[in-house]
Amino acid sequence: MRIMLNDVCHEFDGKTVADLLTSLDKSQQGIAIAINQQVVPKSLWSTTELSEQTQVFIFESIAGG
Amino acid sequence: MSSFFIAGHEFHSRLFTGTGKYASSAAMIESLTSSESELVTLSLRRMDLKNQTDNILQPLQQQGMKLLPNTSGARTAKEAIFAAELAREALETNWVKLEIHPDPRYLMPDGMETLLAAEQLIKKGFVVMPYVHADPVLCKRLEEVGCQCVMPLGSPIGSNMGLASRPFLEIIIEQSRVPVIVDAGIGAPSDAALALEIGADAVLVNTAMAVAKQPKQMGKAFRLAVEAGRMAYESGLAEKGVQANATSPLTDFIGALS
């Protein structure tokens, strides 16, 4: 499936937010997901299905402030 | 030295810290550990998908520090609320350091947007710690809408200019019913000590520890200064005055020569 991830075109195998995260080689600690400006709670990652061209943003905790 | 509470959480250390500007994650952890800080603030950014970022959460949590996400980068109340909701998911906490600064040059906090955001975040169940100007009226308004503490600035953020806002901080401290945490501008341990001496409940220090040649030792220096400042406040400082007031009687000695 092809989606827009942090404003960049991204292709991955799978359907859900959880599938997307698995496809990324990233720590899943301290991250948050938003689809269409709405935060998707962790409890819904495995059941939230994405469709082609969905705008997904992933945020991570970093040093600062 | 007494402990204090924010939203029912007890803090034994009155030194809150930031995580920015350190040369490395290792230097940051060493400095924060030696500071014995119990609350440390972090930012949230869009994930860098190309590069691995250092995992700083685990070592901070291993030290037993409470993580305080901040909304830095937010320019409006709407952006700050979105950032707070993301942070609640990312760090599994309903605490947020609310900072809204539309101008990246000076990072001056926007009081009006901050009050708007605070009101809405409190309705959504957040513990809101607002970073604001040392404005006694605004601090009172924030307290009235339900902020659990206020975080007025000592001087411009990152400026290391100390307590330039001292007279206003003193008013805020005098009239506040929630803890007052002096945030921003604290450049030296003596600034931190002074903030505690005038009755601030805590300080938040970042730049001064992070950019020190020896961040670990500077962390300890701030810890000691904060402890000294608070102890002095609790002990009761002697009043200032211009008239001499000798600590030992002199008259008998002079009289013996005549």
Side-chain angles (χ1 to χ4, degrees):
Chain A
M1 182 183 317
R2 205 178 293 178
I3 58 161
M4 291 302 286
L5 181 60
N6 288 6
D7 282 334
V8 178
C9 187
H10 179 82
E11 207 164 339
F12 74 104
D13 290 327
K15 286 181 185 167
T16 64
V17 170
D19 296 337
L20 167 66
L21 291 172
T22 309
S23 77
L24 301 168
D25 185 23
K26 288 283 189 182
S27 164
Q28 294 190 16
Q29 204 194 3
I31 69 166
I33 308 280
I35 298 173
N36 301 328
Q37 302 282 307
Q38 292 293 318
V39 181
V40 182
K42 270 193 186 90
S43 57
L44 299 179
W45 287 357
S46 59
T47 51
T48 302
E49 294 199 1
L50 301 168
S51 48
E52 289 282 330
Q53 298 302 318
T54 307
Q55 295 270 355
V56 180
F57 286 98
I58 304 188
F59 297 82
E60 63 184 342
S61 312
I62 58 156
Chain B
M1 191 177 70
S2 65
S3 58
F4 77 113
F5 291 83
I6 297 174
H9 184 98
E10 184 173 17
F11 291 97
H12 302 93
S13 164
R14 290 171 180 271
L15 175 57
F16 294 168
T17 46
T19 50
K21 297 187 184 175
Y22 280 96
S24 68
S25 297
M28 178 186 80
I29 300 296
E30 274 191 352
S31 178
L32 297 180
T33 304
S34 68
S35 78
E36 294 184 16
S37 175
E38 294 170 341
L39 185 77
V40 61
T41 184
L42 295 162
S43 298
L44 217 63
R45 287 288 178 276
R46 284 189 193 184
M47 182 182 270
D48 181 347
L49 295 166
K50 289 182 184 152
N51 303 302
Q52 272 300 347
T53 348
D54 278 358
N55 184 357
I56 56 168
L57 295 183
Q58 217 172 349
L60 292 174
Q61 283 170 328
Q62 277 169 358
Q63 295 297 328
M65 290 174 197
K66 186 170 175 58
L67 304 180
L68 175 65
N70 62 59
T71 63
S72 69
R75 291 160 299 176
T76 62
K78 192 179 168 195
E79 287 181 358
I81 292 165
F82 183 54
E85 287 175 335
L86 285 168
R88 178 160 63 180
E89 271 306 306
L91 295 175
E92 295 170 7
T93 174
N94 63 340
W95 287 44
V96 65
K97 182 183 173 209
L98 178 60
E99 34 182 297
I100 302 176
H101 25 63
D103 169 17
R105 181 173 164 86
Y106 297 109
L107 296 175
M108 288 287 108
D110 185 324
M112 285 188 285
E113 292 292 312
T114 304
L115 184 59
L116 277 173
E119 233 173 332
Q120 293 184 45
L121 286 169
I122 288 157
K123 283 184 191 152
K124 288 171 184 274
F126 282 88
V127 172
V128 178
M129 302 175 66
Y131 160 63
V132 287
H133 276 283
D135 176 343
V137 177
L138 177 60
C139 285
K140 206 65 197 161
R141 296 285 294 270
L142 288 162
E143 178 188 310
E144 284 163 5
V145 300
C147 288
Q148 302 272 12
C149 68
V150 288
M151 305 184 79
L153 53 76
S155 51
I157 190 163
S159 71
N160 298 316
M161 286 164 65
L163 303 191
S165 60
R166 178 175 174 172
F168 307 101
L169 291 173
E170 287 177 329
I171 297 170
I172 293 166
I173 290 164
E174 188 183 279
Q175 67 180 12
S176 186
R177 287 193 304 250
V178 292
V180 177
I181 296 128
V182 178
D183 183 7
I186 292 178
S190 53
D191 298 331
L194 179 59
L196 275 291
E197 282 172 16
I198 65 172
D201 295 278
V203 289
L204 192 145
V205 180
N206 186 354
T207 304
M209 279 165 58
V211 305
K213 283 181 190 154
Q214 296 188 51
K216 183 181 175 184
Q217 192 162 288
M218 191 59 95
K220 185 177 178 184
F222 269 100
R223 170 171 70 81
L224 296 172
V226 165
E227 285 177 11
R230 181 65 192 184
M231 278 184 200
Y233 173 75
E234 288 179 9
S235 307
L237 287 159
E239 279 193 25
K240 284 184 181 172
V242 287
Q243 199 177 326
N245 190 352
T247 51
S248 55
L250 302 170
T251 45
D252 287 353
F253 172 68
I254 292 165
L257 290 176
S258 56

